[in-house]
Amino acid sequence: MTEETAEFGLPRSRQANERLHAMIPGGAHTYAKGDDQYPENLAPVISHGRGAHVWDIDGNRYIEYGSGLRSVSLGHAHPRVIEAVRRELDRGSNFVRPSIVEVEAAERFLATVPTAEMVKFAKNGSDVTTAAVRLARAVTGRPRVAICGDHPFFSVDDWFIGTTPMSAGIPAATTELTVAFPYGDLAATEELLTRYQDEVACLILEPAGHAEPPPGYLAGLRELADRHGCVLIFDEMITGFRWSEAGAQGLYGVVPDLSTFGKALGNGFAVSALAGRRELMERGGLRHSGDRVFLLSTTHGAETHSLAAAMAVQTTYVEEGVTARLHALGERLAAGVRDAAAGMGVADHIVVRGRASNLVFATLDENRQPSQQYRTLFLRRLLAGGVLAPSFVVSSALDDADIDRTVDVVAQACAVYRKALDAADPSPWLAGRPVKPVFRRLA
């Protein structure tokens, strides 16, 4: 694929996508990876990846962002992680009793996240967030879950999915037990807790998102939770490691009762963690006199190679200053994209947001409203230039040349974006249907 290429096809990827849809509902195992998230007939099917680059089955190489939905923060096939995994593969991956690797992984995690006192590992984020909610309900004896309504995703389980447009199959009685509070608004949250006095088991939220927490906000939530007797849960799936090795709780100095980690924890290997206060976590254990909580019990939760990957990731982050590198790369990229957009007169329409280690972009129309059509146009031009970027979330495997190349491609995309804005109609540049939001009622 050359720099000058504006229109291109992916015939092998297109055929593979048809095969995927014939056998797999949605054509992918994660909705956010579906081909509906990409311009029509331009959803590359990946052959392999190394570092910050991936290759599709049509032979094209891309600079990749948002790798593995933010999970591959060190780059694909990271040598230190792969070496740790290979050591365990020859020793067996799953046994009838805990392996010594589970002891070592728990010790490493609790040393890295010292605000937690106990940890239990699983394979995905939904399992641990749901376990946190179940534990909160058990220890408080309360039915309701309060989620942050401004955060996009918490779990595939009914207590959350019932609140989305894709709520088919979930009883209304289940959904009614989930209520929402706005991020950054302590007064509104207190009003919610007062309205449902003694009914709310927990407050669950991402401690930070595209904007920094308002001063005193997280500490205020901690005080509200204590005063109203509910459990404070931080979903650190994204903020874990990208904000600091100890998560957002380590960076901002506010300790939740429970927290959940995943994504960057395994650098693409399947591992997640529920962590928190011993008093709560032990309710899912054997050393207490109360009713037992079925907290987490997963056949594959302690696979040795995934736990080895997690330990290698934590060691790499600490010893190599990965979080600082992610921020430096993100700052360079954000500055370059903003300059490119400004240079082409679209600075008010292509907007980079978020912490430097977790950048996303908004595509706005001529009225400065979010537009799936303009997102389609932008993604088409990025793909044509060899940039696979559903977001601008960086990995530490990127280098300055990758960033500079990305900015050049963004500038070319912005030039076309400007033409579409001047025409007040992006449709001539779409070559097919626009991309679609993940959460929608109809296919």
Side-chain angles (χ1 to χ4, degrees), residues 17 70 107 109 135 174 188 263 269 305 313 337 341 383-384 417:
N17 276 312
R70 296 178 172 86
E107 289 174 341
F109 182 90
L135 184 56
T174 299
K263 294 195 181 288
F269 286 91
H305 58 273
V313 166
V337 169
L383 287 164
Y417 205 111

Side-chain angles (χ1 to χ4, degrees), residues 369-439:
Q369 296 300 308
S371 168
Q372 296 294 95
Q373 286 191 306
Y374 278 97
R375 179 175 174 83
T376 307
L377 177 157
F378 192 57
L379 289 176
R380 283 186 65 84
R381 297 296 156 168
L382 294 185
L383 287 164
V387 176
L388 180 58
S391 69
F392 282 143
V393 176
V394 297
S395 77
S396 65
L398 291 159
D399 59 24
D400 288 348
D402 292 323
I403 300 295
D404 292 345
R405 169 64 184 163
T406 300
V407 171
D408 287 344
V409 173
V410 167
Q412 296 167 35
C414 288
V416 178
Y417 205 111
R418 182 67 262 172
K419 292 178 182 178
L421 286 170
D422 290 341
D425 179 14
S427 56
W429 289 273
L430 301 189
R433 54 107 182 107
V435 299
K436 300 178 181 180
V438 168
F439 286 114

Side-chain angles (χ1 to χ4, degrees), residues 86-411:
R86 283 183 176 142
R87 278 200 307 269
E88 293 303 328
L89 288 176
D90 288 336
R91 293 162 52 83
S93 62
N94 211 330
F95 313 106
V96 74
R97 276 283 293 149
S99 73
I100 191 64
V101 177
E102 295 175 54
V103 178
E104 296 165 349
E107 289 174 341
R108 180 69 55 81
F109 182 90
L110 294 173
T112 305
V113 187
T115 41
E117 296 173 335
M118 297 187 83
V119 62
K120 196 157 189 179
F121 296 111
K123 304 307 286 182
N124 62 66
S126 293
D127 283 351
V128 290
T129 53
T130 290
V133 166
R134 183 184 303 120
L135 184 56
R137 282 172 160 162
V139 299
T140 63
R142 299 174 178 181
R144 294 190 187 274
V145 177
I147 64 172
C148 181
D150 297 314
H151 294 158
F153 188 79
F154 289 104
S155 174
V156 300
D157 293 302
D158 289 2
W159 62 270
F160 172 70
I161 292 297
T163 69
T164 75
M166 293 176 70
S167 61
I170 300 172
T174 299
T175 303
E176 288 166 3
L177 293 176
T178 300
V179 294
F181 62 92
Y183 188 80
D185 191 336
L186 290 174
T189 306
E190 181 159 29
E191 191 278 328
L192 181 78
L193 292 171
T194 301
R195 187 190 330 155
Y196 297 107
Q197 187 71 40
D198 299 328
E199 293 183 36
V200 175
C202 62
L203 301 171
I204 182 168
L205 73 157
E206 295 178 43
H210 299 322
E212 286 291 291
Y217 174 62
L218 295 179
L221 275 185
R222 174 72 276 174
E223 190 275 331
L224 276 179
D226 290 340
R227 182 150 47 88
H228 287 267
C230 56
V231 175
L232 181 61
I233 304 170
F234 283 177
D235 177 341
E236 297 245 34
M237 290 297 148
I238 294 173
T239 54
F241 298 94
R242 285 192 179 273
W243 263 242
S244 83
E245 293 86 359
Q249 59 195 278
L251 180 65
Y252 300 124
V254 175
V255 181
D257 298 301
L258 300 170
S259 56
T260 58
F261 289 76
K263 294 195 181 288
L265 179 59
N267 200 54
F269 286 91
V271 60
S272 60
L274 169 65
R277 288 170 41 209
R278 181 177 304 276
E279 177 188 356
L280 275 65
M281 293 287 287
E282 190 59 74
R283 289 288 298 271
L286 300 176
R287 297 184 173 181
H288 67 94
S289 58
D291 290 343
R292 295 182 67 192
V293 177
F294 195 92
L295 187 57
L296 281 166
S297 186
T298 56
T299 299
H300 301 289
E303 281 179 332
T304 56
H305 58 273
S306 292
L307 295 182
M311 287 190 281
V313 166
Q314 290 166 85
T315 300
T316 302
Y317 261 80
V318 172
E319 293 185 359
E320 298 183 12
V322 172
T323 302
R325 174 166 175 77
L326 293 174
H327 280 87
L329 288 165
E331 287 168 358
R332 182 184 179 97
L333 176 63
V337 169
R338 287 167 180 148
D339 286 347
M344 295 295 171
V346 295
D348 292 334
H349 302 274
I350 295 177
V351 182
V352 180
R353 297 170 176 160
R355 193 170 180 85
S357 60
N358 188 54
L359 296 172
V360 297
F361 58 82
T363 50
L364 309 182
D365 63 17
E366 53 274 9
N367 298 315
R368 300 183 187 177
Q369 296 300 308
S371 168
Q372 296 294 95
Q373 286 191 306
Y374 278 97
R375 179 175 174 83
T376 307
L377 177 157
F378 192 57
L379 289 176
R380 283 186 65 84
R381 297 296 156 168
L382 294 185
L383 287 164
V387 176
L388 180 58
S391 69
F392 282 143
V393 176
V394 297
S395 77
S396 65
L398 291 159
D399 59 24
D400 288 348
D402 292 323
I403 300 295
D404 292 345
R405 169 64 184 163
T406 300
V407 171
D408 287 344
V409 173
V410 167

